[in-house]
Amino acid sequence: MKLILLGPPGAGKGTQSRLLEARYGLAQISGDMLRAEVRAGSPIGLEARSVMEAGKLVSDDILIRMIAARINARECAKGFILDGIPRTTLQAQALDEMLHDHEIELDAVIELTVNASELAGRIAGRFTCAGCGEGYHDSFRPLAQAGICDACSGTEFVRRSDDTAEAVHARLEVYAAQTAPVAAHYRAQRRLYSVDGMASMADVETHIEAVLRRVDRAGSRASALATAVTLTRCRDD
Ligand code: ADP
Ligand code: ZN
């Protein structure tokens, strides 16, 4: 499965990506991971770092090449989830071209729709385990045991510096202006599925799985059709 998860900050993309990763062995690719690659100093990471150190934004070209390197790596053998990427229609177009060059077809783009007024609460309360990346929330997904990660027993946690009620408003405005049009880009390609992100985490997961079953069935129908056509052609020969 090759998927894109779209939605504003706090919609639940990271949460659902990790569930899909655990259930289907898909690899999550997020902006955070690409930033980690810069810190780790891979060749393309170093190239990105020199741009960042010059005070410039990493170009779409570098971003897309970092994604290309990831999706061709072994960790993506069962597929991948682009979590919150692309962020602009220009990036979406560059991604389309790169996937086309690598003969990779997206199975679905899933948009988590949410009520903007709820997002501030979700973003302001979230934190992540520094050890394994598991996501938590002060109210919606607290630690089972105070100070200890449920997943890896780690004891260090991080909160993003822009995960504050004050910064949320500006981040949502950027999202509405630059990223919301990305959904229309994929709707035009008939790849877009909308899932209600306001439902409980378990219900969002169930709805995403229903989408995956649907595209999977459509995919096997298409390949059965292709086989049938090939067989007919063979008989004609
Ligand atoms: P994104 O990756 O889209 O920014 P996250 O997955 O980090 O969003 O989710 C934001 C916060 O909201 C996290 O603290 C997460 O635990 C919580 N959360 C995610 N999905 C839900 C949900 N369906 N209901 C309530 N809280 C949720
Ligand atoms: Zn952990």
Side-chain angles (χ1 to χ4, degrees), residues 17-203:
S17 294
R18 288 182 70 85
L19 292 170
L20 290 166
E21 195 171 42
R23 182 167 284 224
Y24 300 104
L26 306 180
Q28 176 194 18
I29 303 174
S30 69
D32 275 352
M33 283 174 180
L34 301 178
R35 280 187 284 278
E37 191 165 322
V38 171
R39 284 195 296 276
S42 70
I44 182 108
L46 289 176
E47 191 180 338
R49 185 190 290 171
S50 64
V51 174
M52 288 160 129
E53 280 172 356
K56 297 195 201 118
L57 284 175
V58 173
S59 66
D60 290 354
D61 171 61
I62 293 181
L63 173 82
I64 298 296
R65 280 193 286 134
M66 286 174 99
I67 297 171
R70 285 259 166 165
I71 61 182
N72 287 306
R74 229 190 22 226
E75 71 205 42
C76 288
K78 290 187 177 163
F80 57 82
I81 313 150
L82 285 171
D83 164 3
I85 305 174
R87 279 175 177 250
T88 63
T89 38
L90 273 179
Q91 285 182 4
Q93 284 158 4
L95 179 70
D96 283 351
E97 275 173 33
M98 184 273 280
L99 292 174
H100 180 261
D101 290 347
H102 288 84
E103 294 179 14
I104 291 170
E105 184 149 4
L106 288 172
D107 292 294
V109 177
I110 300 174
E111 170 191 41
L112 295 178
T113 57
V114 283
N115 177 339
S117 61
E118 303 273 339
L119 291 177
R122 278 201 193 173
I123 293 175
R126 76 174 158 186
F127 59 97
T128 311
C129 169
C132 72
E134 189 71 12
Y136 294 95
H137 189 281
D138 294 328
S139 327
F140 307 129
R141 189 168 184 254
L143 296 163
Q145 229 184 315
I148 300 173
C149 174
D150 300 7
C152 78
S153 303
T155 53
E156 259 187 69
F157 299 90
V158 284
R159 287 180 195 258
R160 279 177 59 159
S161 57
D162 58 352
D163 274 357
T164 60
E166 301 76 55
V168 166
H169 188 67
R171 289 170 71 194
L172 291 179
E173 276 186 355
V174 171
Y175 181 85
Q178 297 187 359
T179 313
V182 172
H185 175 88
Y186 290 113
R187 187 175 293 117
Q189 296 183 357
R190 308 177 124 267
R191 288 185 215 276
L192 188 76
Y193 296 83
S194 287
V195 166
D196 176 14
M198 297 318 294
S200 69
M201 287 181 209
D203 282 352

